[in-house]
Amino acid sequence: MIEFHLKNQTSSVRLIFSRRSSAELNPGRAPRCSTSSTVVPSFHTAEPWRNMEGANLSQGIEFEFLGFTSDLQLQILLFVVFLGLYTITVLGNLTMFFLIHVSAALHTPMYSLLKSLSFLDFCYSSTVVPQTLVHFLAHRKVISYLGCMAQLFFYAGFATSEGYLLAAMAYDRYAAICSPLRYPITMSPGVCTSLIVGSYSAGFLNSLIHTSCIFSLKFCGAHVVIHFFCDGPPILSLSCVDTSLCEILLFIFAGFNLLSCTLSILVSYLLILITILRMNSAQGRLKAFSTCASHLTAVCLFYGTTLFMYLRPRSSYALAQDRMVAVIYTVVIPVLNPLVYSLRNKDVKEALRKVWGRKIME
């Protein structure tokens, strides 16, 4: 028996030439004294064969997070810390949201923007922290391809929206301090709503471009993410194709978002500073500074960590260090914002007393 193997990119065919007697070929005929043999080819198709190097390996894959540590006791400690911080985030931001919603005294443009800020802090922290808590107690820290895509989309959308909303809040402070007589017109309910809707629109448009660009790439090899959630740079580093164009595009959009918002905030506060320095009353200056202090604290925390994370060349990424920075803007900042705005704000504390007293009386 002689065998030949023929292969192409999709299948393999085994061609076998075997020598058989005429009796085997014609069993109904009587055998002759002399036997002859005939070469008979037969075909055997092997299992389908695929060239995996050219296949799209991004379908049906899972990403596995490296997390913070493999030490079980340290993971339990981190679980307790993250759970405590997330509980404060949920209670603080939702309390601020509903307090502004039910208190008529807080139905002003400044507090409408603050209400949206509390909602955004709650949302973008909730896209990351609950799954991180599960992974602290799980043997394998995995997420599906679609799950990772969804997490990146919503996280980037809410976080970018917050950046634009902080810029809108700076404009609100500028209008209140520099043009107090025109403030009801400058920050009318329609203008306030437009600023909020515009912040969400810009945030999720950026997120759509960001997510589409990254997940249009192919991922192969080990899908181990050196992070604790699906963020842009760690996922981008897993691609097995050239990512230069995608990196340039993301850098341009991230740079535009951050620099345009930062420039708006700096111009607003420069004009506010000039107005404050022209005030004759020391009490008026102190009140103006106090009005801006909470917002300035939130801006420094958010933009300081965000500029460090995303406006850098890829060669300077230190993913272990970036995980620590990511904890600040995904876990710590959403905790601090409601505390900063409530502890330093007399109107919020007074509204909380009234609502709390009303509940007790009922």
Side-chain angles (χ1 to χ4, degrees):
M1 182 174 67
I2 305 173
E3 295 187 8
F4 294 92
H5 293 268
L6 304 177
K7 291 186 177 180
N8 59 22
Q9 288 186 344
T10 58
S11 63
S12 64
V13 178
R14 186 173 60 180
L15 181 61
I16 304 175
F17 292 90
S18 59
R19 190 175 295 275
R20 298 183 184 180
S21 65
S22 58
E24 292 176 320
L25 294 175
N26 301 287
R29 299 177 60 180
R32 298 177 181 177
C33 296
S34 62
T35 60
S36 62
S37 60
T38 306
V39 176
V40 181
S42 60
F43 296 88
H44 297 267
T45 303
E47 292 296 325
W49 178 83
R50 173 174 286 184
N51 181 4
M52 294 304 291
E53 293 178 358
N56 184 1
L57 302 182
S58 301
Q59 303 301 322
I61 66 173
E62 287 183 333
F63 294 100
E64 184 169 0
F65 298 112
L66 191 62
F68 294 95
T69 179
S70 58
D71 188 326
L72 182 59
Q73 292 183 342
L74 187 55
Q75 287 191 52
I76 294 173
L77 177 61
L78 288 173
F79 172 82
V80 173
V81 172
F82 272 58
L83 180 61
L85 291 174
Y86 182 64
T87 302
I88 297 172
T89 297
V90 173
L91 293 177
N93 284 289
L94 292 184
T95 298
M96 183 71 73
F97 181 88
F98 288 112
L99 181 65
I100 296 172
H101 183 74
V102 301
S103 299
L106 300 181
H107 290 176
T108 62
M110 182 180 78
Y111 290 109
S112 295
L113 295 171
L114 181 56
K115 177 183 173 181
S116 294
L117 180 67
S118 297
F119 177 73
L120 285 173
D121 279 335
F122 165 74
C123 287
Y124 92 79
S125 179
S126 296
T127 60
V128 175
V129 180
Q131 186 178 56
T132 304
L133 291 172
V134 172
H135 287 166
F136 281 134
L137 304 179
H139 178 65
R140 293 186 66 230
K141 304 171 178 61
V142 296
I143 187 173
S144 67
Y145 180 83
L146 292 178
C148 186
M149 185 190 298
Q151 186 180 55
L152 177 61
F153 174 76
F154 286 108
Y155 164 74
F158 288 127
T160 309
S161 299
E162 178 156 337
Y164 277 100
L165 190 66
L166 288 171
M169 293 174 76
Y171 173 74
D172 172 74
R173 292 300 82 211
Y174 154 76
I177 294 173
C178 299
S179 303
L181 297 179
R182 293 180 55 82
Y183 181 72
I185 300 173
T186 307
M187 286 299 295
S188 64
V191 172
C192 184
T193 302
S194 298
L195 289 172
I196 294 172
V197 172
S199 298
Y200 278 89
S201 301
F204 279 93
L205 176 62
N206 170 79
S207 176
L208 181 62
I209 296 170
H210 193 85
T211 307
S212 300
C213 183
I214 291 177
F215 283 91
S216 64
L217 302 172
K218 291 181 180 179
F219 302 97
C220 50
H223 307 119
V224 179
V225 183
I226 310 177
H227 215 325
F228 63 97
F229 71 98
C230 289
D231 199 3
I235 298 298
L236 200 61
S237 66
L238 300 180
S239 177
C240 55
V241 297
D242 183 23
T243 61
S244 301
L245 182 61
C246 189
E247 287 179 26
I248 292 172
L249 183 65
L250 296 180
F251 186 84
I252 290 172
F253 275 93
F256 174 78
N257 292 329
L258 289 171
L259 294 180
S260 61
C261 292
T262 305
L263 186 61
S264 299
I265 292 170
L266 289 176
V267 170
S268 296
Y269 274 103
L270 178 61
L271 297 174
I272 289 172
L273 181 62
I274 293 172
T275 302
I276 290 175
L277 293 177
R278 289 176 178 174
M279 292 180 179
N280 297 322
S281 170
Q283 186 177 1
R285 291 180 183 178
L286 182 62
K287 184 178 179 181
F289 275 122
S290 177
T291 303
C292 299
S294 299
H295 180 254
L296 276 173
T297 304
V299 166
C300 291
L301 287 170
F302 182 83
Y303 280 100
T305 54
T306 307
L307 286 168
F308 175 80
M309 278 295 295
Y310 297 109
L311 284 190
R312 293 180 295 156
R314 186 177 179 182
S315 58
S316 66
Y317 286 150
L319 294 177
Q321 181 184 19
D322 290 350
R323 276 178 289 176
M324 298 300 105
V325 179
V327 170
I328 296 175
Y329 64 81
T330 58
V331 181
V332 178
I333 290 178
V335 172
L336 294 179
N337 278 346
L339 296 178
V340 168
Y341 278 102
S342 61
L343 295 177
R344 297 183 58 87
N345 194 303
K346 294 180 180 179
D347 294 335
V348 172
K349 289 189 284 187
E350 183 63 28
L352 186 59
R353 288 194 199 97
K354 289 181 179 179
V355 172
W356 186 256
R358 191 188 310 160
K359 292 295 182 184
I360 294 176
M361 291 297 293
E362 290 176 356

